[in-house]
Amino acid sequence: MIWKGVNAMPITFDQQHHVFKLDTSVSTYAFMVYQENYLVHLYYGAKLPDTDLSYLMYRGKFDSLSPYNPKVEDLFFSPDIQPFEYPTNGAGDFRISALSVRGGSGDAVTDIRYVSHKIYDGKPSLPGLPATFAQEGQAQTLEVEAVDAVTGVKATLLYTVFEDYPVITRSVRLENGGKAPVVLERAYSSCVELPTMDLDMVHLWGKWWNENNTERRALQHGITSIQSKRGMTGSNHNPFVAFARPSTTEESGEVWGMNFIYSGNFAIDTEVDTRGTTRVLMGINPTDFRWRLEPGESFQTPEAVLVYSDKGLGAMSRTFHHFYLDHLCRSEWAKKKRPLLINSWEAAFFDFDDDKLVAFAQEAKKLGIEMLVMDDGWFGTRNDDLRGLGDWYVNEKKLKGGLSHLIERVNALGLKFGIWYEPEMVNPDSDLYRAHPDWAIRAKGREHSISRYQCVLDMTRKDVRDNIFQQMYEVLSQNKIDYIKWDCNRNITEAASATLPPERQGEFFHRYVLGVYDLMDRITTAFPHILLENCSSGGCRFDAGMLYYAPQIWTSDCTDPIERLTIQFGASLCYPVAAMGAHVSANSRASVKTRGVVAMSGTFGYELDPRTELTDEEREVVLQQVADYHKYYDLIHFGDLYRLTAPTENPYLADWQFVSPDKNEALFCRVIMRRPPNLYQSVCLAGLDPDKIYVDEETGKAYSGALLMHGGIDLSAYDYANNYDGDSFMKHFVVR
Ligand code: DGJ
């Protein structure tokens, strides 16, 4: 064993009680092999020393209608009521099932039983899928093999425990070990069985321009599903959910957070049964999903990430944040300082040429901006959004002298250069579509719906991906490009692929996502130094799958800082600040200062015409912002985030704070949304070292961490009566 963790071996199997225990620094997850080799779930929660946990599998008594297995010598055991590790369909468990396989006989009865297991150091990668990773000595993995005796389908349940994080990742490998083809009709990635319904569900819902609204509601009997069937994640629901005790707050109480590393049709299904226990499934949405496995073929589900916290939602979020930067974002930019950019979209939309972009760069340079991003409109005949997608060659009428020449001019000013793509899309008015109309997704005999004047390319096809890769490769290899924004501005309708036989059309949606991942993998492997930013009309594909390839994602097309407060607060439940694309734009009533305070709690950049959309006074503000960006970069991006006052809970104010990992520095941020009726304002800070002495950099006054956290800071000096409309301030504390 090479396990290097400070804790004892995190995964153990108690031979006597047949119990698997997965221990993190603060949590225990346990299940057992019961009679007849049923895999029965036992526990997920605060860390436990015990291994004899089998009594925890009894959650309520046998009902008279409950089916049972006569071979099990236990009057209280029924698949109807026991919590299962990977529940299956049709063999006595009437709740929602994680696995349903239609076998050669045509029925969908599925019943997997334990066969063997192995525990090993490290973490396997998942073929074709984004997934968390670990260096040597950082993780341990358990693989449990269970087989359905009739179809021969083998399910390998994969669990990884990480050394430094209260995190367990899960996925499932399904293999047809039988003699006849089978069809997977449900193949979820994880199942969590909680012994109570006395929980609140927290999730993120929204829509374009208004993503990531946080909703918290008490669980009720029945099935609740958070899902997408858009072919992409969508902004309607994020593949994140948390279950909190009703008394759990930001900084106290138990919470179970779950996130899915996937960018397509997902489902997070929660069933509260009549005994008041809760089953949560996370996986590929079974609607429109059918996957055929020939004998010997296998299927890997995407990965689910489970985080347990006994210190509230805040600690859960901080675990997700650091864990994703350490173990999910594979880009070399994950922890590298990103260049401060200016993006041309809101500054010019399609109306630009090389001289205008150079003029932007000239002005931006004076403000200290480090990179110019040329957004949509540089290629084909793309002078508006009606045409051009798919033709990824430079429009030399706009960029006279070509792209290299423009980049040379921008570089000569000392700025890096970034470019926009929407690789999955094609406009009917494009050379690509005229040459290959069959490459646009459409079901046989049907027209395709149009959305934003465009169609989606069939990314399940290698020839389509090869074409787009080749087009991108030519531009990216011949020009000095430092950044790509990968956009995606519509969802999939009339889903089918001309290359799949009828019995495999149910594989379309997942194959589409695999195709996108393949193309992203090829681009990021060919150009590892390019910083990739993901985007889907803002945050319509804001998920952990994308973070694997792109360390930052444009959070929303809405750049108003007051609106952004709820969007970014919501996203921060699961995703790190370093992942949230956020810009100062001209599109707001709030002051430039406030736009900066909010955007700085993201990747930070500008999206306005620097020549005409800033007054002299605002330029001074921008210069200060740029200085602050550099000063606070590490603190904001790699520190701990504390959400102090949520904009959804307080109609007047939003407060948040960052603390450096060594607790020697803290940054408090406040946005005043409306004039608060109470002009006496004081706030308790969080996450400080109670014994350290912190100096308020502005006033020079010193406080112990204990005083700042329990007595609070008096913020009444600020003139709330006159500056309430979207104003803001930050306060920096440094240990003496
Ligand atoms: C949607 C994105 O969210 C915008 O930032 C911009 O890139 C446009 N697409 C361009 O078409």
Side-chain angles (χ1 to χ4, degrees), residues 432-504:
L432 187 76
Y433 188 92
R434 281 182 283 275
H436 302 283
D438 55 315
W439 283 8
I441 293 169
R442 69 155 70 77
K444 201 169 175 186
R446 297 181 193 281
E447 285 305 312
H448 38 50
S449 306
I450 298 287
S451 175
R452 207 198 186 201
Y453 314 106
Q454 64 199 54
C455 303
V456 189
L457 287 168
D458 184 353
M459 285 288 148
T460 71
R461 293 175 60 155
K462 183 159 181 315
D463 53 349
V464 175
R465 300 199 299 273
D466 285 349
N467 176 292
I468 299 299
F469 177 78
Q470 204 46 47
Q471 289 199 60
M472 292 176 76
Y473 187 85
E474 266 163 44
V475 173
L476 298 174
S477 58
Q478 287 166 20
N479 295 284
K480 200 171 162 305
I481 289 173
D482 300 294
Y483 160 110
I484 297 173
K485 179 171 169 190
W486 182 307
D487 208 341
C488 171
N489 292 306
R490 71 158 285 183
N491 296 144
I492 299 176
T493 57
E494 294 82 28
S497 174
T499 58
L500 288 172
E503 67 277 14
R504 287 199 179 269

Side-chain angles (χ1 to χ4, degrees), residues 144 319 342 478 637 710:
V144 178
T319 297
I342 185 159
Q478 287 166 20
H637 291 87
H710 303 294

Side-chain angles (χ1 to χ4, degrees), residues 345 350 375-376 382 420 452 485 487 489 535-538 554 557 607:
W345 181 243
F350 295 103
D375 208 278
D376 195 355
R382 186 87 170 161
W420 180 95
R452 207 198 186 201
K485 179 171 169 190
D487 208 341
N489 292 306
C535 172
S536 177
S537 297
W554 183 227
D557 274 350
E607 187 147 345

Side-chain angles (χ1 to χ4, degrees), residues 20-289:
F20 291 101
K21 264 187 83 198
L22 287 70
D23 289 317
T24 73
S25 48
V26 302
S27 67
T28 291
Y29 184 102
F31 61 99
M32 74 178 295
V33 183
Y34 193 54
Q35 290 180 47
E36 292 302 310
N37 293 322
Y38 283 101
L39 282 168
V40 181
H41 179 79
L42 296 173
Y43 175 81
Y44 184 28
K47 194 162 181 168
L48 304 175
D50 320 62
T51 48
D52 182 7
L53 301 167
S54 54
Y55 75 98
L56 293 174
M57 77 163 131
Y58 299 101
R59 296 178 177 181
K61 287 266 174 349
F62 201 87
D63 282 333
S64 68
L65 292 179
S66 290
Y68 59 94
N69 180 343
K71 291 187 187 148
V72 175
E73 293 169 357
D74 177 350
L75 285 177
F76 297 109
F77 183 92
S78 165
D80 191 16
I81 54 175
Q82 253 61 52
F84 285 111
E85 208 40 40
Y86 195 56
T88 56
N89 178 57
D93 182 345
F94 298 111
R95 293 157 291 181
I96 45 177
S97 34
L99 180 67
S100 182
V101 180
R102 200 165 289 278
S105 317
D107 65 78
V109 179
T110 313
D111 190 0
I112 56 163
R113 307 290 177 86
Y114 169 83
V115 174
S116 65
H117 74 268
K118 57 180 179 185
I119 298 171
Y120 54 88
D121 288 328
K123 162 124 193 359
S125 54
L126 306 185
L129 285 164
T132 57
F133 50 78
Q135 309 301 332
E136 200 184 310
Q138 290 181 331
Q140 224 182 36
T141 297
L142 164 67
E143 290 193 10
V144 178
E145 194 183 303
V147 169
D148 179 83
V150 174
T151 58
V153 166
K154 183 169 94 182
T156 304
L157 314 183
L158 291 113
Y159 303 78
T160 297
V161 177
F162 289 78
E163 180 201 349
D164 294 333
Y165 289 98
V167 171
I168 296 170
T169 59
R170 290 187 63 175
S171 71
V172 180
R173 193 164 59 234
L174 295 156
E175 192 183 322
N176 184 354
K179 293 197 167 48
V182 299
V183 176
L184 306 178
E185 296 190 338
R186 298 166 73 86
Y188 281 74
S189 298
S190 83
C191 171
V192 174
E193 304 262 33
L194 298 167
T196 177
M197 66 178 285
D198 199 11
L199 295 167
D200 289 343
M201 183 169 103
V202 183
H203 102 280
L204 300 172
W205 68 275
K207 57 182 174 358
W208 174 67
W209 203 272
N210 184 9
E211 298 82 352
N212 299 320
N213 293 287
T214 306
E215 187 162 82
R216 179 170 178 161
R217 57 180 143 149
L219 285 184
Q220 309 231 315
H221 289 97
I223 298 171
T224 307
S225 187
I226 305 299
Q227 49 172 271
S228 163
K229 47 179 260 184
R230 299 172 164 267
M232 290 140 194
T233 315
S235 51
N236 300 59
H237 302 283
N238 194 272
F240 159 80
V241 75
F243 295 90
R245 300 268 187 210
S247 57
T248 294
T249 65
E250 266 296 306
E251 299 303 329
S252 73
E254 283 189 294
V255 54
W256 292 260
M258 305 172 196
N259 188 217
F260 195 33
I261 305 181
Y262 193 56
S263 313
N265 291 351
F266 71 89
I268 305 174
D269 301 336
T270 305
E271 178 167 1
V272 177
D273 63 22
T274 48
R275 284 175 313 286
T277 70
T278 302
R279 170 176 289 175
V280 187
L281 302 179
M282 179 177 276
I284 293 176
N285 191 341
T287 302
D288 293 335
F289 172 81

